[in-house]
Amino acid sequence: MNEIIAKEDNIKNMIYEVRGKQVMLDSDLAKLYQCKNGTKEINQAVKNNLDKFPERYAFRITENEYDNLKSKNLTSKGKGGSRKGHTVFTEQGVAMLATILKSRVATQVSINIMDAFVEMRKLIRDNVDMFKRMINVEYKLIEHDDKINQILDEMNPKELKEKLFYDGQIYDAYSLLINIVRKAKDKIIIIDNYIDKQVFDILIYKNDNVKVEIWTRNIKSNLDIEKFNLQYSNVEIKKVDNFHDRFIILDDNELYHVGASLKDLGKKCFAINKMNKENINRLID
């Protein structure tokens, strides 16, 4: 039992970081030193020799700190635990504790503990650059995740309430329109008085078999429709003359108001707004 529990590899797993210091728990030391009364014996030794255990040698941790250690290191209270809290010992505190307990087991185990602390410091020192790079990479990943989530929040039609585009944001405007078109499962209605090839460039991203109705007063070229239908099909033109603004209706269930003609997206400041679907039937009627 002594040979198993006092191995350096096992001891390394008992060294934690609290308040920026490497420490060991009284409960783990009680097991290593084979204290019959568990942490009670450890803490009684400290209480009887307070002058030998300044705060840089040993200090009490809060329940929150202890719970945090458990969650991060899977520490278990188990036998030798304390319901009244825990004392943690730094490397110097462990060495001092061994001199007070004065047993052959405590002396031998303390030597192994000292070696484990040395190995831990060496590991950190030898890999400090790697740790710094890992931390920098983690920060970068968090930063990138935040940016990606922000972009998705802005561009995802499911979350779209309103989006304002400024002069020159042509690509962003088209990207959002493409995402909206992709959402349709059965039918798209586009209401825009002026239609040209750029509208069909957006429609190539629609799902297969989705029917498209374009309600317009003026279409630049019927040839565009014919060529589009030869490859993608399902586009129908309806001539109307009673709309001023532009609208997109998806599956008779989602309604978007577009503040600029689809052929002029991003050329001037405009907005896209998602409207209440209660307006759809009245608009179509």
Side-chain angles (χ1 to χ4, degrees):
M1 182 66 177
N2 290 347
E3 291 178 358
I4 295 174
I5 199 168
K7 284 183 178 180
E8 286 181 26
D9 289 341
N10 291 335
I11 295 173
K12 288 176 187 177
N13 293 328
M14 299 179 183
I15 298 176
Y16 310 118
E17 184 170 320
V18 178
R19 304 178 193 174
K21 299 178 180 179
Q22 287 186 320
V23 298
M24 295 188 69
L25 285 166
D26 52 5
S27 54
D28 288 335
L29 289 171
K31 293 175 185 178
L32 290 171
Y33 291 152
Q34 299 181 20
C35 297
K36 295 180 180 179
N37 296 321
T39 57
K40 184 177 181 181
E41 186 174 339
I42 297 287
N43 288 293
Q44 189 62 46
V46 174
K47 186 176 180 181
N48 294 338
N49 298 272
L50 290 177
D51 58 321
K52 295 182 179 181
F53 290 94
E55 190 169 348
R56 66 179 184 274
Y57 281 21
F59 55 89
R60 301 286 285 179
I61 60 174
T62 65
E63 280 299 315
N64 287 338
E65 288 174 319
Y66 180 61
D67 290 340
N68 191 43
L69 282 183
K70 286 198 299 178
S71 64
K72 287 185 177 180
N73 303 288
L74 301 180
T75 306
S76 174
K77 288 184 179 180
K79 186 176 180 181
S82 171
R83 295 181 179 179
K84 297 181 179 179
H86 286 265
T87 301
V88 293
F89 294 81
T90 63
E91 182 178 351
Q92 297 92 334
V94 171
M96 182 63 70
L97 186 62
T99 64
I100 293 174
L101 294 178
K102 295 179 181 178
S103 71
R104 187 177 62 83
V105 171
T107 300
Q108 182 57 49
V109 170
S110 292
I111 293 173
N112 290 346
I113 291 175
M114 296 303 104
D115 291 341
F117 269 105
V118 171
E119 285 297 317
M120 291 290 285
R121 287 201 303 274
K122 184 176 183 298
L123 175 66
I124 294 173
R125 184 180 64 250
D126 292 347
N127 295 278
V128 64
D129 290 337
M130 181 188 70
F131 290 146
K132 287 181 178 179
R133 288 197 297 270
M134 289 175 64
I135 292 172
N136 288 335
V137 168
E138 185 174 357
Y139 282 143
K140 286 292 183 183
L141 288 174
I142 292 173
E143 182 180 345
H144 289 165
D145 286 346
D146 290 342
K147 288 182 178 178
I148 290 172
N149 289 333
Q150 181 181 353
I151 293 171
L152 290 176
D153 287 342
E154 292 179 353
M155 302 303 291
N156 187 351
K158 291 181 179 178
E159 303 297 329
L160 176 69
K161 296 297 181 183
E162 58 183 28
K163 175 65 180 176
L164 181 64
F165 294 94
Y166 296 96
D167 186 12
Q169 290 186 292
I170 298 174
Y171 178 81
D172 291 346
Y174 271 94
S175 293
L176 180 55
L177 260 296
I178 288 170
N179 283 337
I180 291 176
V181 164
R182 281 174 172 167
K183 287 186 64 181
K185 297 178 180 178
D186 300 306
K187 182 179 179 182
I188 301 172
I189 297 177
I190 295 177
I191 302 173
D192 192 337
N193 282 331
Y194 299 96
I195 299 294
D196 66 2
K197 179 180 177 296
Q198 294 186 65
V199 177
F200 295 99
D201 289 342
I202 294 173
L203 288 175
I204 64 174
Y205 294 97
K206 71 179 180 67
N207 294 318
D208 294 338
N209 302 320
V210 171
K211 295 181 179 180
V212 180
E213 292 182 8
I214 298 178
W215 300 8
T216 183
R217 182 175 62 189
N218 183 12
I219 186 163
K220 190 171 183 179
S221 173
N222 288 322
L223 187 60
D224 291 332
I225 306 170
E226 294 174 7
K227 289 182 177 179
F228 185 90
N229 278 331
L230 285 173
Q231 182 173 350
Y232 298 100
S233 71
N234 292 328
V235 172
E236 180 183 356
I237 301 296
K238 290 188 176 183
K239 290 293 185 72
V240 296
D241 194 20
N242 55 345
F243 288 96
H244 179 275
D245 287 1
R246 277 68 53 175
F247 300 93
I248 298 176
I249 303 172
L250 305 182
D251 302 325
D252 293 334
N253 187 55
E254 291 189 26
L255 173 62
Y256 297 88
H257 174 259
V258 184
S261 180
L262 273 61
K263 67 182 182 63
D264 296 322
L265 294 179
K267 294 181 180 178
K268 292 183 180 180
C269 183
F270 76 101
I272 297 177
N273 302 285
K274 186 174 182 180
M275 302 180 66
N276 293 330
K277 63 181 181 179
E278 288 78 7
N279 296 308
I280 294 175
N281 291 334
R282 186 175 180 184
L283 184 67
I284 292 176
D285 291 341

